[in-house]
């Protein structure tokens, strides 16, 4: 009997096998991105995306791995934000100091600040498994999951994972995340470590920077929870992150636990609200791409085909913010003033509509928002009318 199938008795099928949903989506996103490598979505961009879940433009461009900075440059509205080279070099040097000698100093800080009742980490009670993989991000994700599984099966030992690779599904596309470190406690608990170069003076750091670090750490915790859910029993993922910063004005490390419960709740809810990427991509015209090498007109048309939700907070978090701000101002959108103002104005979405309602030229007088605007306009006119001429000009200034 032949070991090969009989082609006469098994005619080949003429019906093509449809691609899997994940494969088809990746192909679609690659078409939108154009002939350039994908830009990885990191925890910083994910945290910013979760803060503004209604922005389909950012969700699609980040999901497709588009370089938004290059797009903004091509559209004539380049981003001016970014970390200085000096700060990057200083941050790398500080992280290397914290992790030297097999992460002994970092494990000491984790023991002191997160788990003082656990055994003291030492040569016999601490390990740092290798996480390198030559087959790309997915292989590194698998290697990290294996190291976490092995650590969970080794009670009584501290384990430090240096730059593990995690994945998280965001709006139907995988995002690969690389925290500074993850510590596995002797009792099996997992904790995220964030190493930052801004100083911790007298035991506290700048609240805005701590808040940004907490939002990033919350994304890592969500990704760790996904890994833990696949183990039986599932290890506990600590809702606290260990923030490590330079102490005062030195290069010595100091650490403090940061409670992430609020950030976790917000990020989990906002990511769940994100519209799936394939639904956003469906509104694009045929042949549209975000390739920055095409003409500014074609690129601008593709960008404008995806709805955005601009807010002033975008200026510190998105490379396309200046372009979106210019468009919001051209349209007179009240979102350009701020989310709080937009929320107070209800169905009045443009500045012209607000001014017309305040002047009594439009709007339903029974609408509480319209009534409040007219009352405010009357009070303003009354106040300005009671001021003499020269002083009135100074009030307007």
């Amino acid at each position: 009997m032949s070991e090969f199938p009989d082609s006469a008795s098994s005619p080949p099928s003429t019906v093509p096998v449809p691609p899997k949903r994940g494969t088809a989506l990746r192909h679609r996103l690659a078409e939108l991105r154009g002939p350039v490598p994908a830009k990885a979505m990191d925890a910083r961009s994910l945290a910013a995306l979760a803060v503004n879940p209604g922005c389909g433009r950012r969700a699609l461009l980040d999901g497709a791995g588009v370089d938004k900075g290059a797009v903004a440059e091509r559209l004539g509205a380049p981003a001016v934000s970014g970390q200085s080279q000096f700060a990057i070099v200083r941050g790398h040097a500080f992280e290397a100091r914290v992790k030297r000698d097999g992460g002994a100093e970092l494990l000491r800080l984790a023991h002191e600040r997160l788990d003082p009742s656990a055994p003291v980490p030492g040569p016999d009670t601490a390990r740092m498994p290798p996480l390198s993989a030559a087959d790309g991000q997915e292989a590194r994700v698998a290697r990290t999951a294996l190291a976490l599984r092995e650590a969970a099966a080794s009670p009584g030992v501290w384990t430090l994972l240096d730059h593990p690779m995690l994945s998280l599904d965001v709006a139907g596309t995988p995002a690969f995340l690389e925290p500074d470190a993850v510590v596995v406690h002797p009792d099996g608990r997992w904790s995220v470590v964030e190493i930052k170069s801004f100083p911790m003076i007298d035991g506290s750091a700048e609240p805005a920077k701590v808040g940004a670090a907490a939002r990033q750490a919350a994304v890592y915790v969500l990704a760790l929870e996904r890994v833990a859910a696949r183990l039986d029993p599932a290890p506990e993922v600590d809702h606290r992150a260990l923030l490590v910063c330079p102490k005062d004005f030195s290069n010595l490390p100091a650490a403090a636990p940061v409670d992430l419960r609020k950030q976790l709740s917000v990020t989990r809810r906002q990511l769940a609200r994100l519209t799936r990427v394939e639904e956003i991509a469906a509104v694009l015209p045929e042949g549209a791409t975000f390739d920055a090498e095409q003409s500014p007109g074609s690129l601008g048309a593709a960008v404008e085909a995806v709805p955005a939700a601009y807010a002033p907070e975008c200026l510190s978090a998105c490379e396309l913010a200046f372009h979106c701000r210019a468009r919001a101002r051209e349209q007179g959108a009240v979102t350009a003033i701020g989310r709080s103002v937009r929320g107070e104005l209800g169905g009045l979405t443009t500045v012209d509509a607000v001014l017309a309602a305040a002047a009594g030229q439009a709007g339903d007088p029974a609408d509480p928002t319209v009534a409040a605007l007219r009352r405010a306009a009357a009070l303003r006119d009354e106040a300005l009318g009671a001021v003499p001429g020269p002083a009135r000009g100074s009030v307007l200034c």
Side-chain angles (χ1 to χ4, degrees), residues 8-392:
S9 60
S10 303
S13 173
T14 58
V15 180
V17 178
K20 294 182 179 179
R21 174 185 169 275
T23 303
L25 177 59
R26 284 195 293 270
H27 288 168
R28 175 60 173 149
L29 296 180
E31 293 173 356
L32 294 176
R33 186 172 60 247
V36 293
K39 184 177 180 180
M41 186 185 298
D42 58 13
R44 188 187 302 269
S45 60
L46 264 183
L49 183 59
V51 171
N52 191 6
C55 186
R57 183 174 297 171
R58 173 154 196 165
L60 180 58
L61 268 64
D62 280 349
V66 175
D67 185 347
K68 298 193 299 297
V71 172
E73 186 83 28
R74 186 64 169 168
L75 294 177
V80 295
S81 60
Q83 196 175 20
S84 69
Q85 190 64 33
F86 173 77
I88 294 174
V89 172
R90 183 173 183 271
H92 288 167
F94 178 69
E95 182 177 341
R97 179 188 178 93
V98 172
K99 293 180 178 178
R100 68 185 181 184
D101 299 327
E105 180 69 10
L106 182 53
L107 288 175
R108 183 190 68 80
L109 292 171
H111 171 263
E112 177 184 313
R113 305 298 291 170
L114 293 179
D115 203 355
S117 62
V120 177
D124 299 327
T125 58
R127 62 191 187 96
M128 183 188 289
L131 299 178
S132 59
D135 299 331
Q137 294 175 317
E138 293 183 354
R140 288 186 60 197
V141 169
R143 183 68 189 89
T144 297
L146 177 61
L148 287 168
R149 187 179 300 110
E150 292 173 348
S154 305
V157 178
W158 290 88
T159 302
L160 176 62
L161 304 185
D162 182 15
H163 285 286
M165 182 67 73
L166 306 170
S167 67
L168 187 66
D169 186 82
V170 181
T173 60
F176 295 98
L177 311 171
E178 188 176 357
D180 294 327
V182 169
V183 171
V184 180
H185 299 247
D187 62 0
R189 191 168 73 255
W190 300 352
S191 296
V192 169
V193 178
E194 276 286 278
I195 302 174
K196 298 297 183 182
S197 60
F198 55 80
M200 189 178 292
I201 302 173
D202 293 333
S204 62
E206 186 178 334
K209 293 182 178 180
V210 174
R215 288 190 291 272
Q216 292 180 43
V219 174
Y220 297 137
V221 170
L222 292 179
L224 275 178
E225 289 178 345
R226 179 184 178 189
V227 180
R230 293 197 290 263
L231 301 182
D232 187 20
E236 177 189 355
V237 181
D238 201 340
H239 65 262
R240 298 173 302 165
L242 184 69
L243 177 63
V244 182
C245 301
K247 182 179 180 180
D248 298 329
F249 299 100
S250 69
N251 203 34
L252 299 175
V258 180
D259 194 322
L260 304 177
R261 282 177 291 187
K262 178 181 178 181
Q263 289 81 6
L264 282 169
S265 175
V266 172
T267 304
R268 192 179 285 113
R269 181 174 66 253
Q270 300 292 61
L271 289 179
R273 290 177 53 196
L274 287 172
T275 306
R276 300 189 69 84
V277 169
E278 56 262 43
E279 296 176 17
I280 305 172
V283 306
L284 286 172
E286 186 71 25
T289 73
F290 301 110
D291 182 6
E293 297 300 321
Q294 63 184 309
S295 68
S298 300
L299 180 60
V303 169
E304 292 303 315
V306 186
Y310 171 77
E313 294 88 345
C314 297
L315 293 173
S316 61
C318 182
E319 298 89 334
L320 276 173
F322 289 94
H323 171 80
C324 296
R325 182 179 65 173
R327 292 295 176 269
R329 287 177 172 176
E330 289 175 3
Q331 298 165 5
V334 295
T335 51
I337 305 173
R339 285 199 184 95
S340 59
V341 177
R342 173 67 185 87
E344 293 289 340
L345 292 174
L348 303 175
T349 59
T350 66
V351 174
D352 289 341
V354 172
L355 295 177
Q361 300 171 355
D364 182 2
D367 186 336
T369 302
V370 174
L373 285 170
R374 292 180 182 178
R375 176 60 177 162
L379 291 174
R380 176 183 179 276
D381 291 342
E382 180 181 341
L384 294 180
V387 178
R392 179 173 180 172

